[in-house]
Amino acid sequence: MSVETLTLDLAKIRADFPGLAGGWHYLDSGATAQKPQSVIDATVNAMGRDYATVHRGVYARSANMTLAYEEARRKVAGFIGGAEGEIVFTRGATEAINLVAQSWGGANLRAGDRILISTLEHHSNIVPWQLLRDRVGVEIDVCPLTADGRIDLDAAARILTPAHKLVALAHVSNVLGSVLDVERAVALAHGVGAKILIDGCQAVPRLPVDVAALGVDFYAFSAHKLYGPTGIGALWARAEILDAMPPWQGGGSMIDRVTFEKTTWAPAPTRFEAGTPAIIEAIGFAAAVDYVQSIGLDAIHAHEAGLVKTLRSALQAMNDVTVFGPEDSAGIVSFVIDGVHPHDLGTILDEAGPKHQSVAIRAGHHCAQPLMDHLGVPATARASFGLYSDESDIAALIAGIERTKRIFG
């Protein structure tokens, strides 16, 4: 499917999203994506007509729901090129990274071991490692960025030593939209004997991902940025790594046999899913995968790349606007306006009136305060696209920026 074909289908695509009704200009998909009707219907049916618990019931509806739940696992795994036994359902990508830190990290890392992250990481790929550092004494190194805001893998090559046991990096920056050369990062990490974890939250909605081809060890992502429900995400990990990891939460489902003297564990991935799982959300997750695959990630990426190019060009034509990140950023554009705080811009853009349209952007530090320090700003304004975004969203944003600048004189 070409960009042109996708553009011609945009009216139909936008009609799939009830959250966009009324012509709302939604440019905050990097925070959370709107949901297509097919995902809404799947979750409503799972909550109502089809609802039952999974794994434990001997009655037919429970068996059917169990099949649907495990089919969701297969779909989510296949979406990123993995096998169903390699997908752990979590509350989101944040929990997925914490799972790795607490289970794999707690079992394998000791005082003096080192972890490499980067300047642009989301807090969810910083704080879990700091908690691990405080608990076991590992050291954390920070890879710098290139001048245009990419993770500097040349610098990473100089930093990495055999003392490094883990490299944890974002596939796509949630602020700058810069795309990591994952294959090179994997080669560098494995070259010193380290494992590598990739935060794929901003990548999976807009880039084809094949974890087996990339060679990563861990890959974390969430459903709600992929047009699915909140409250669920996934950790993919190589089967042999998952099999060797101890559980991190105890309770129902994750056990094999419980006595007061000793408990034995279920095999992975069940070992990491204590308690009643997010049944409804998993089914919605699978419906979101179906929807995205029906359009095609290559087409989505090409479409968003065209929008990024258009917006960056329009912003760069304003001499009082600073645009961050590389020219080929993936679906995300962050910027600041001289004399206008991003929060003020976001508030004014949200106001609808007879002569202006409401536009939703993100304004703040985007859970990336170390990156803000690096950029020398307290916050940025961020426009992030989805597969439903179009040129009218950009036009409304630019008009809103001009209006804001007039207000601020």
Side-chain angles (χ1 to χ4, degrees):
M1 185 184 294
S2 68
V3 181
E4 291 75 16
T5 303
L6 185 60
T7 301
L8 293 174
D9 289 342
L10 274 178
K12 177 180 180 298
I13 289 170
R14 288 176 71 89
D16 288 341
F17 291 83
L20 299 177
W24 187 37
H25 297 288
Y26 184 71
L27 291 173
D28 197 21
S29 295
T32 194
Q34 295 293 317
K35 317 308 174 192
Q37 191 63 49
S38 60
V39 169
I40 296 168
D41 291 344
T43 56
V44 168
N45 288 336
M47 187 182 291
R49 182 194 69 195
D50 303 330
Y51 185 73
T53 193
V54 297
H55 298 146
R56 301 185 185 96
V58 296
Y59 47 91
R61 187 183 289 189
S62 176
N64 290 337
M65 187 62 91
T66 299
L67 291 172
Y69 178 77
E70 293 302 333
E71 174 62 20
R73 192 190 305 275
R74 281 189 288 276
K75 282 188 178 179
V76 172
F79 180 65
I80 59 164
E84 62 179 295
E86 299 168 330
I87 282 285
V88 179
F89 282 133
T90 61
R91 288 189 301 115
T94 298
E95 185 171 275
I97 295 171
N98 276 274
L99 191 167
V100 176
Q102 294 193 36
S103 174
W104 180 87
N108 291 279
L109 301 183
R110 298 292 179 265
D113 289 340
R114 307 189 77 86
I115 296 171
L116 180 66
I117 59 176
S118 84
T119 301
L120 59 67
E121 300 306 316
H122 189 281
H123 294 166
S124 61
N125 200 26
I126 300 173
V127 178
W129 312 119
Q130 293 176 329
L131 293 172
L132 184 64
R133 176 193 63 193
D134 296 344
R135 192 164 70 249
V136 306
V138 298
E139 301 292 337
I140 299 173
D141 295 308
V142 180
C143 183
L145 307 182
T146 61
D148 64 350
R150 305 175 196 273
I151 297 173
D152 188 343
L153 292 181
D154 289 338
R158 295 190 294 270
I159 294 169
L160 284 168
T161 71
H164 286 88
K165 304 304 180 185
L166 181 71
V167 175
L169 302 173
H171 195 160
V172 173
S173 167
N174 74 305
V175 177
L176 304 176
S178 45
V179 181
L180 177 70
D181 182 348
V182 177
E183 290 177 291
R184 187 181 177 206
V186 168
L188 291 173
H190 290 172
V192 297
K195 299 288 190 291
I196 183 165
L197 177 147
I198 297 296
D199 170 2
C201 280
Q202 299 294 342
V204 294
R206 51 181 54 95
L207 297 173
V209 173
D210 185 333
V211 290
L214 292 172
V216 298
D217 300 298
F218 304 99
Y219 199 92
F221 59 109
S222 57
H224 73 101
K225 291 179 171 62
L226 187 69
Y227 311 97
T230 56
I232 190 168
L235 171 69
W236 175 90
R238 287 195 287 114
E240 63 270 25
I241 297 176
L242 275 183
D243 288 343
M245 286 167 53
W248 76 308
Q249 294 177 332
S253 293
M254 51 74 68
I255 55 86
D256 173 38
R257 178 80 172 93
V258 177
T259 69
F260 286 118
E261 291 71 35
K262 182 181 180 180
T263 295
T264 54
W265 317 125
T270 308
R271 183 187 311 155
F272 306 105
E273 296 179 7
T276 300
I279 304 165
I280 296 160
E281 292 80 359
I283 290 169
F285 200 168
V289 166
D290 286 341
Y291 187 84
V292 169
Q293 288 182 322
S294 74
I295 295 171
L297 280 160
D298 287 330
I300 293 168
H301 177 53
H303 173 65
E304 292 187 0
L307 295 173
V308 164
K309 183 178 179 181
T310 299
L311 177 56
R312 289 183 67 91
S313 177
L315 293 172
Q316 288 165 345
M318 303 177 183
N319 58 16
D320 53 357
V321 173
T322 300
V323 185
F324 300 105
E327 291 297 319
D328 61 349
S329 58
I332 293 169
V333 179
S334 284
F335 61 96
V336 293
I337 303 172
D338 295 346
V340 180
H341 194 283
H343 289 164
D344 294 325
L345 174 64
T347 300
I348 294 171
L349 286 173
D350 188 44
E351 297 173 351
K355 296 183 179 180
H356 50 271
Q357 299 169 300
S358 176
V359 181
I361 65 164
R362 201 72 164 175
H365 56 66
H366 315 296
C367 293
Q369 288 176 313
L371 177 56
M372 296 298 109
D373 293 341
H374 169 78
L375 297 175
V377 296
T380 71
R382 183 187 72 184
S384 51
F385 298 112
L387 58 85
Y388 37 62
S389 303
D390 64 13
E391 299 278 351
S392 74
D393 297 321
I394 296 176
L397 173 60
I398 295 302
I401 289 171
E402 296 289 7
R403 174 172 172 262
T404 302
K405 292 196 292 185
R406 289 195 297 272
I407 291 171
F408 278 81

